Amino acid sequence: MSDNKNMADMLLQSLYDYHFANNGGSYTLPKAMLDADANSKLAIENLIENGYAADNGQGSDSLVLSITAQGIDYIKNK
């Protein structure tokens, strides 16, 4: 479980950096790529379930991930 948490933290940190480097932009990746990596998929699902990230790509072939205000607070207070 701790490996998954570390990966989730790393992904969230990446989303945080991406958010501020791209004026609040979302990070898009193909769902097929995600399906090929079970660990990343689990980590991303955990971030979404915990409210730290949002997927705005519903109904498309891509995951459109963005960090939420709660995710930003989590990174700032880590």
Side-chain angles (χ1 to χ4, degrees):
M1 181 67 183
S2 67
D3 284 351
N4 196 330
K5 183 172 179 356
N6 289 345
M7 180 174 276
D9 281 358
M10 265 181 13
L11 285 167
L12 193 61
Q13 181 68 56
S14 296
L15 281 175
Y16 179 91
D17 295 341
Y18 191 88
H19 175 85
F20 287 104
N22 294 280
N23 298 316
S26 297
Y27 186 74
T28 304
L29 65 160
K31 286 184 180 165
M33 195 174 113
L34 195 60
D35 290 338
D37 185 350
N39 289 337
S40 293
K41 186 173 185 176
L42 258 177
I44 289 171
E45 285 171 356
N46 284 344
L47 291 176
I48 292 170
E49 282 170 19
N50 289 322
Y52 296 146
D55 174 16
N56 303 311
Q58 303 298 344
S60 76
D61 289 338
S62 295
L63 193 62
V64 182
L65 273 185
S66 59
I67 193 167
T68 62
Q70 189 177 344
I72 292 171
D73 286 345
Y74 175 80
I75 291 292
K76 281 187 187 168
N77 296 316
K78 234 171 68 147

